[in-house]
Amino acid sequence: MATADSMTLAARLGQLLLQKKWSITTAESCTGGGIGYWLTAVPGSSAYVDRGFITYSNKAKQQLLAVRSATLLQFGAVSEETVREMAEGAAKAANADMAIAVSGIAGPDGGSVYKPVGTVCFGFYLNGNVASSHLVFAGDRQQVRQQAIDYALKQSIELLTALAN
């Protein structure tokens, strides 16, 4: 279930994109298109959203986003290194000014000592610059996914706002 903030966050991000005359794309794994869903739920979003990528498998990450196999082998799909490549690859493939990339372990399985269930990595491409972060969220699969969506939207707003100042 979406938080009450998802639509508000997506609308705010859309306003910032419109002000900058920027386009955005997404490269999503564990969120399965959830960020794209909220971005396009905003009326008028076609002015800044052209396409998004759901790249759940490593093969899709490589084929659609040009993530290097060496990166996946060395760091894994759930890593800041991978989401940075995902974000940059999505931006280039979509000819977008901004990209949000997400890869994580939403559960209930798949976690490890080093990457427990709830680990989510985020990559952000902003007109040539790439930033990344990772967090560990608590909760069940749906809660982890929703927290990741909201964090990605909030962080995108913060990065765009900081860029404007």
Side-chain angles (χ1 to χ4, degrees), residues 30 75 77-84 101-105 113-124 131-138 144 147-148 151-152 155 159:
C30 69
F75 302 104
V78 181
S79 67
E80 288 190 49
E81 292 81 2
T82 294
V83 294
R84 291 172 71 88
V102 181
S103 187
I105 306 165
V113 173
Y114 300 107
K115 295 179 186 177
V117 169
T119 301
V120 182
C121 296
F122 302 88
F124 303 92
S132 60
S133 61
H134 75 276
L135 295 169
V136 179
F137 297 109
V144 168
Q147 290 173 83
Y151 174 81
Q155 191 64 21
L159 290 167

Side-chain angles (χ1 to χ4, degrees), residues 4 15 20 22 24 26 30 50 57 60 62 64 70 77 79 91 101 108 113 128 130-131 138 147-148 154 162-163:
Q15 291 170 344
K20 292 189 75 58
W22 274 20
I24 190 168
T26 60
C30 69
D50 177 54
S57 70
Q62 291 173 292
L64 299 174
S79 67
V113 173
V130 183
Q147 290 173 83
K154 285 178 193 171
L163 204 64

Side-chain angles (χ1 to χ4, degrees), residues 18-33:
L18 285 171
Q19 287 171 5
K20 292 189 75 58
K21 295 183 172 71
W22 274 20
S23 60
I24 190 168
T25 190
T26 60
E28 301 183 62
S29 187
C30 69
T31 50

